[in-house]
Coordinates of all heavy atoms in Angstrom, one line a residue:
Y185 N -14.0 12.9 -0.4 CA -13.5 12.4 1.0 C -13.0 13.6 1.7 O -12.3 14.4 1.2 CB -12.4 11.4 0.8 CG -12.8 10.1 0.1 CD1 -12.7 10.0 -1.3 CD2 -13.2 9.0 0.8 CE1 -13.1 8.9 -2.0 CE2 -13.5 7.8 0.2 CZ -13.5 7.8 -1.3 OH -13.8 6.6 -1.9
Q193 N -4.5 7.0 8.2 CA -3.6 5.9 8.0 C -2.8 6.1 6.8 O -3.2 6.8 5.8 CB -4.4 4.6 7.9 CG -5.1 4.2 9.2 CD -5.4 2.7 9.2 OE1 -4.7 1.9 8.8 NE2 -6.6 2.4 9.7
L197 N -5.1 8.4 2.9 CA -6.1 7.4 2.3 C -5.3 6.2 1.8 O -4.2 6.2 1.6 CB -6.8 8.1 1.1 CG -7.8 9.2 1.4 CD1 -8.3 9.8 0.0 CD2 -9.0 8.8 2.2
F198 N -6.2 5.2 1.4 CA -5.7 4.0 0.8 C -5.7 4.2 -0.7 O -6.7 3.8 -1.3 CB -6.3 2.7 1.2 CG -5.9 2.4 2.7 CD1 -6.6 2.9 3.7 CD2 -4.9 1.5 3.0 CE1 -6.3 2.6 5.0 CE2 -4.5 1.2 4.3 CZ -5.2 1.7 5.3
L199 N -4.7 4.9 -1.2 CA -4.8 5.3 -2.7 C -4.6 4.0 -3.6 O -5.0 4.1 -4.8 CB -3.7 6.3 -3.0 CG -3.8 7.6 -2.1 CD1 -2.5 8.4 -2.3 CD2 -5.0 8.4 -2.4
D200 N -3.9 3.0 -3.1 CA -3.6 1.8 -3.9 C -4.9 1.1 -4.3 O -4.8 0.2 -5.2 CB -2.7 0.9 -3.1 CG -3.1 0.6 -1.8 OD1 -4.2 1.0 -1.3 OD2 -2.3 0.0 -1.0
Q201 N -6.1 1.3 -3.7 CA -7.2 0.5 -4.0 C -8.1 1.2 -5.0 O -9.2 0.7 -5.4 CB -8.0 0.2 -2.8 CG -7.4 -0.8 -1.8 CD -7.6 -2.2 -2.3 OE1 -7.7 -2.5 -3.5 NE2 -7.6 -3.2 -1.4
R202 N -7.8 2.3 -5.6 CA -8.7 3.0 -6.4 C -9.2 2.2 -7.5 O -10.5 2.1 -7.9 CB -8.0 4.3 -7.0 CG -8.9 5.1 -8.0 CD -8.1 6.3 -8.7 NE -7.0 5.7 -9.5 CZ -5.7 5.7 -9.0 NH1 -5.4 6.4 -8.0 NH2 -4.8 5.1 -9.8
R205 N -11.6 -0.5 -6.4 CA -13.0 0.1 -6.1 C -13.8 0.2 -7.3 O -15.0 -0.1 -7.3 CB -12.8 1.4 -5.4 CG -12.2 1.4 -4.0 CD -12.1 2.7 -3.3 NE -11.2 2.6 -2.2 CZ -10.2 3.3 -2.0 NH1 -9.7 4.2 -2.9 NH2 -9.4 3.0 -0.9
D218 N -19.1 -4.2 3.2 CA -17.7 -3.7 3.0 C -17.0 -4.0 4.4 O -17.2 -3.2 5.3 CB -17.7 -2.2 2.7 CG -16.3 -1.7 2.5 OD1 -15.3 -2.5 2.5 OD2 -16.1 -0.4 2.5
A219 N -16.2 -5.0 4.5 CA -15.5 -5.4 5.7 C -14.1 -4.9 5.7 O -13.3 -5.0 4.7 CB -15.5 -6.9 5.9
F220 N -13.7 -4.2 6.8 CA -12.4 -3.5 6.9 C -12.5 -2.2 6.0 O -11.7 -2.0 5.1 CB -11.2 -4.3 6.5 CG -11.1 -5.6 7.2 CD1 -11.5 -6.8 6.6 CD2 -10.5 -5.7 8.4 CE1 -11.5 -8.0 7.2 CE2 -10.4 -7.0 9.2 CZ -10.9 -8.1 8.5
S221 N -13.4 -1.3 6.3 CA -13.9 -0.3 5.4 C -13.0 1.0 5.6 O -13.0 1.8 4.6 CB -15.3 0.1 5.7 OG -15.8 1.0 4.8
Y222 N -12.3 1.2 6.7 CA -11.5 2.4 7.0 C -12.5 3.5 6.9 O -13.4 3.7 7.7 CB -10.3 2.5 6.1 CG -9.5 3.7 6.4 CD1 -9.1 4.1 7.7 CD2 -9.0 4.6 5.4 CE1 -8.4 5.2 8.0 CE2 -8.2 5.7 5.7 CZ -7.9 6.0 7.0 OH -7.2 7.1 7.2
N223 N -12.3 4.5 5.9 CA -13.2 5.6 5.8 C -14.3 5.5 4.8 O -14.9 6.4 4.3 CB -12.5 7.0 5.6 CG -11.7 7.0 4.4 OD1 -11.7 6.0 3.7 ND2 -11.2 8.0 4.0
G224 N -14.5 4.2 4.3 CA -15.6 3.9 3.5 C -15.3 3.9 2.0 O -16.2 3.9 1.1
G225 N -14.0 3.8 1.6 CA -13.6 3.8 0.1 C -14.5 2.9 -0.7 O -15.1 3.3 -1.7
F226 N -14.5 1.6 -0.4 CA -15.4 0.6 -1.2 C -16.8 1.0 -1.0 O -17.6 1.1 -2.0 CB -15.0 -0.8 -0.9 CG -13.8 -1.3 -1.5 CD1 -12.6 -1.3 -0.9 CD2 -13.8 -1.9 -2.8 CE1 -11.4 -1.8 -1.5 CE2 -12.7 -2.3 -3.4 CZ -11.4 -2.3 -2.7
A227 N -17.2 1.1 0.2 CA -18.7 1.3 0.5 C -19.3 2.5 -0.3 O -20.4 2.4 -0.8 CB -18.9 1.5 2.0
L240 N -18.1 -2.1 7.8 CA -17.5 -2.5 9.1 C -16.1 -2.0 9.3 O -15.2 -2.2 8.5 CB -17.6 -4.0 9.2 CG -18.8 -4.8 8.9 CD1 -18.6 -6.3 9.0 CD2 -20.0 -4.3 9.8
D241 N -15.8 -1.5 10.5 CA -14.4 -1.2 10.9 C -14.3 -1.3 12.4 O -15.3 -0.8 13.1 CB -13.9 0.1 10.3 CG -12.4 0.0 10.3 OD1 -11.7 0.2 11.3 OD2 -11.8 -0.1 9.2
V242 N -13.2 -1.8 12.9 CA -13.0 -1.9 14.4 C -12.8 -0.5 15.0 O -13.1 -0.3 16.1 CB -11.9 -2.9 14.7 CG1 -10.6 -2.3 14.4 CG2 -12.1 -3.4 16.1
S243 N -12.3 0.4 14.2 CA -12.0 1.7 14.7 C -13.2 2.7 14.7 O -13.8 2.9 13.7 CB -10.9 2.3 13.9 OG -10.9 3.7 13.9
E244 N -13.5 3.2 16.0 CA -14.6 4.2 16.1 C -14.4 5.4 15.2 O -15.3 5.9 14.6 CB -14.8 4.6 17.5 CG -15.1 3.6 18.5 CD -16.6 3.2 18.7 OE1 -17.3 4.0 18.0 OE2 -16.9 2.3 19.4
A246 N -12.6 5.5 12.4 CA -12.9 5.2 11.0 C -14.4 5.2 10.8 O -14.8 5.8 9.7 CB -12.3 3.8 10.7
R265 N -20.8 0.2 11.1 CA -20.8 -0.4 12.4 C -19.4 -0.5 12.9 O -18.5 -1.0 12.2 CB -21.4 -1.8 12.4 CG -22.8 -1.9 12.0 CD -23.2 -3.3 12.1 NE -24.4 -3.6 11.3 CZ -24.7 -4.7 10.8 NH1 -24.0 -5.8 11.0 NH2 -25.8 -4.8 10.1
A266 N -19.1 -0.1 14.2 CA -17.8 -0.3 14.8 C -17.7 -1.6 15.4 O -18.2 -1.8 16.6 CB -17.5 0.8 15.8
V267 N -17.2 -2.6 14.7 CA -17.1 -4.0 15.2 C -15.8 -4.7 14.7 O -15.2 -4.2 13.8 CB -18.3 -4.9 14.7 CG1 -19.6 -4.4 15.2 CG2 -18.3 -4.8 13.2
N268 N -15.5 -5.8 15.4 CA -14.5 -6.6 14.9 C -15.0 -7.5 13.8 O -16.0 -8.3 14.1 CB -14.0 -7.5 16.1 CG -12.8 -8.3 15.7 OD1 -12.7 -8.8 14.6 ND2 -11.9 -8.5 16.6
V269 N -14.4 -7.5 12.6 CA -14.9 -8.2 11.5 C -15.0 -9.7 11.8 O -16.0 -10.4 11.4 CB -14.1 -7.9 10.3 CG1 -14.4 -9.0 9.2 CG2 -14.3 -6.5 9.7
F270 N -14.0 -10.3 12.5 CA -14.0 -11.7 12.7 C -15.2 -12.1 13.5 O -15.9 -13.1 13.2 CB -12.7 -12.1 13.6 CG -11.5 -12.1 12.8 CD1 -10.7 -11.0 12.5 CD2 -11.1 -13.3 12.2 CE1 -9.6 -11.0 11.8 CE2 -9.9 -13.3 11.4 CZ -9.2 -12.2 11.2
D271 N -15.6 -11.3 14.5 CA -16.8 -11.7 15.3 C -18.1 -11.4 14.5 O -19.0 -12.2 14.5 CB -16.9 -10.8 16.6 CG -15.7 -11.0 17.5 OD1 -15.1 -12.1 17.3 OD2 -15.3 -10.0 18.2
V287 N -16.9 -7.3 0.3 CA -15.5 -6.9 0.1 C -14.7 -7.2 1.4 O -15.2 -6.9 2.5 CB -15.4 -5.3 -0.1 CG1 -14.0 -4.9 -0.2 CG2 -16.2 -4.9 -1.3
L288 N -13.5 -7.8 1.3 CA -12.7 -8.1 2.4 C -11.4 -7.4 2.1 O -10.6 -7.8 1.1 CB -12.3 -9.6 2.6 CG -13.5 -10.5 3.0 CD1 -13.0 -12.0 3.0 CD2 -14.0 -10.1 4.4
D289 N -11.1 -6.3 2.9 CA -9.8 -5.6 2.6 C -9.1 -5.4 4.0 O -9.0 -4.3 4.4 CB -10.1 -4.2 1.9 CG -8.8 -3.5 1.6 OD1 -7.7 -4.1 1.5 OD2 -8.9 -2.2 1.4
P290 N -8.6 -6.5 4.5 CA -8.0 -6.4 5.9 C -6.6 -5.7 5.8 O -6.0 -5.6 4.8 CB -7.9 -7.9 6.3 CG -7.7 -8.6 5.0 CD -8.6 -7.9 4.0
P291 N -6.1 -5.3 7.1 CA -4.7 -4.8 7.1 C -3.8 -6.0 6.8 O -4.2 -7.1 6.8 CB -4.7 -4.3 8.5 CG -5.7 -5.1 9.3 CD -6.7 -5.3 8.4
A292 N -2.5 -5.7 6.6 CA -1.5 -6.8 6.4 C -1.5 -7.7 7.6 O -1.0 -7.2 8.7 CB -0.2 -6.1 6.1
F293 N -1.9 -8.9 7.5 CA -1.9 -9.8 8.7 C -0.4 -10.3 8.9 O 0.0 -10.5 10.0 CB -2.8 -10.9 8.5 CG -4.2 -10.7 8.6 CD1 -5.2 -11.5 8.2 CD2 -4.7 -9.6 9.3 CE1 -6.5 -11.2 8.2 CE2 -6.1 -9.2 9.4 CZ -7.0 -10.1 8.9
C329 N -2.8 -7.3 1.5 CA -1.8 -6.3 1.2 C -0.5 -6.7 1.9 O 0.4 -5.8 2.1 CB -2.2 -4.9 1.6 SG -2.7 -4.7 3.3
Ligands
LIG401 N1 -10.9 -0.8 2.6 C1 -10.2 0.4 3.0 C2 -8.9 0.2 3.7 C3 -8.8 -0.8 4.8 S1 -7.4 -0.7 5.8 C4 -10.1 1.3 1.9 O1 -10.5 1.0 0.7 O2 -9.7 2.5 2.1 C5 -7.8 -1.8 7.0 C6 -8.9 -1.4 8.1 O3 -9.2 -2.6 8.8 C7 -8.4 -0.3 9.1 O4 -9.2 0.8 8.9 C8 -8.5 -1.0 10.4 O5 -9.1 -0.1 11.4 C9 -9.4 -2.0 10.1 N2 -9.3 -3.3 11.0 C10 -8.2 -4.0 11.4 N3 -8.5 -5.0 12.1 C11 -9.9 -5.1 12.1 C12 -10.8 -6.1 12.7 N4 -10.4 -7.2 13.3 N5 -12.1 -5.8 12.5 C13 -12.5 -4.7 11.9 N6 -11.7 -3.8 11.3 C14 -10.4 -4.0 11.5

Side-chain angles (χ1 to χ4, degrees):
Y185 297 87
Q193 292 200 43
L197 290 179
F198 288 84
L199 303 172
D200 48 8
Q201 286 284 27
R202 179 188 58 255
R205 292 185 190 116
D218 177 17
F220 307 96
S221 185
Y222 183 46
N223 63 353
F226 279 95
L240 311 176
D241 201 285
V242 75
S243 148
E244 297 276 356
R265 297 182 201 153
V267 290
N268 183 326
V269 165
F270 284 85
D271 302 335
V287 178
L288 292 175
D289 184 20
F293 290 158
C329 56

